[in-house]
Amino acid sequence: MTHDETQLPADLLPVLRMSVKRLLASASALTDADVRAPSPLPGWSRAHVLTHIARSADSRTRLLAAARTGLDLPQYSGEARRERDIEEGAGRPAAELVDDLETALHRFLTAVDDHPRDAWDVPVRWLGGGMRPVRGTIGSMLREVEVHHTDLATGHGPSTWPPYFVEQELALTVRKLRDRSDAPAMVLCAEEDQVPRPVGDGRGPRVSGPAAELLGWLAGRTDGGGLDVDPPGPLPTVPAWRS
């Protein structure tokens, strides 16, 4: 069970609302030329990133509707359709992209506000993840907003990620790494708590630094330049991030 499935909406909603506000401020400053420019994600422009976040919000609004009505509404109709929607949406001008993003995010937040308090544990059909409680929509939307805000390359990055998000997401990411056979042996240590977090057999190097820098590196959003390795040497090669 991930932290997305155990946290109460009241814990995450204030953080998500602030994250959405910051994302929309960054997006609104982008020009038509800006959105055509490449993002750090291979093959995606900033317009692809903006469209992806909007469709991610819509997909979670759909899951909330499924939980509320009892209808079997999948998060997406399929991976191919998801990719096609992003590709087709990426050709729009900046103002249209931002309007779509704002509408989709506010529609999701409204659906969260209106969701029955006794229906947060209702299982819904996630893309590639089977049936899981609908409460995961909030934590996963926060992840989408924060990480893909970074992918807009507008100055938002791990150092500006909300501390609560960093704490929870680092715990989840380490837990998932422990389940992967391709994860390198290492011990991760955030300077905020000095708690060793072994991965693999734990016999590899100790990688330490600010929690946000650790998470940014594990998520493939930084090169880990702000981290220390003991014994001295290169950082371990971590597998592609899966949120």
Side-chain angles (χ1 to χ4, degrees), residues 13 40 59 71 81 102 107 113 161 192 195 222 228 231 239:
L13 264 179
S59 79
L71 296 174
R81 175 60 185 271
E102 183 172 10
R107 186 163 48 224
D113 287 338
W161 288 348
E192 288 87 346
V195 173
T222 74
D228 295 320

Side-chain angles (χ1 to χ4, degrees), residues 35-198:
V35 300
R36 301 275 79 82
S39 80
L41 297 177
W44 272 18
S45 66
R46 286 192 177 107
H48 285 87
V49 175
L50 293 170
T51 303
H52 169 66
I53 303 170
R55 300 292 74 79
S56 292
D58 283 344
S59 79
R60 286 160 177 79
T61 302
R62 191 176 303 114
L63 291 179
L64 288 166
R68 187 176 64 252
T69 64
L71 296 174
D72 185 11
L73 303 175
Q75 183 180 10
Y76 295 97
S77 57
E79 184 64 45
R81 175 60 185 271
R82 173 176 172 267
E83 293 178 1
R84 186 166 65 251
D85 286 347
I86 294 170
E87 195 61 42
E88 292 174 354
R92 298 170 294 171
E96 190 174 335
L97 288 162
V98 174
D99 181 67
D100 177 32
L101 177 67
E102 183 172 10
T103 299
L105 287 168
H106 287 167
R107 186 163 48 224
F108 171 73
L109 290 171
T110 298
V112 170
D113 287 338
D114 293 342
H115 196 72
R117 294 182 64 182
D118 60 355
W120 284 110
D121 290 322
V122 174
V124 290
R125 194 176 304 281
W126 294 78
L127 179 67
M131 300 294 290
R132 293 190 284 115
V134 74
R135 71 172 59 246
T137 54
I138 302 176
S140 62
M141 194 70 248
L142 176 60
R143 181 185 310 121
E144 291 286 318
V145 169
E146 283 298 325
V147 174
H148 289 308
H149 190 173
T150 298
D151 294 330
L152 290 178
T154 56
H156 187 78
S159 65
T160 55
W161 288 348
Y164 185 80
F165 165 73
V166 170
E167 176 187 355
Q168 299 296 321
E169 197 64 28
L170 181 60
L172 175 62
T173 301
V174 171
R175 193 154 60 243
K176 290 192 172 185
L177 276 176
R178 289 171 177 161
D179 292 335
R180 295 189 60 163
S181 60
D182 57 348
M186 57 184 173
V187 177
L188 303 170
C189 186
E191 65 182 25
E192 288 87 346
D193 59 19
Q194 297 296 313
V195 173
R197 299 169 173 84

Side-chain angles (χ1 to χ4, degrees), residues 26-37:
S26 292
S28 297
L30 298 174
T31 65
D32 286 341
D34 291 334
V35 300
R36 301 275 79 82

Side-chain angles (χ1 to χ4, degrees), residues 202-224:
R203 297 179 182 176
R206 181 184 182 94
V207 181
S208 58
E213 288 297 319
L214 283 171
L215 179 59
W217 169 62
L218 294 174
R221 266 58 187 186
T222 74
D223 61 5

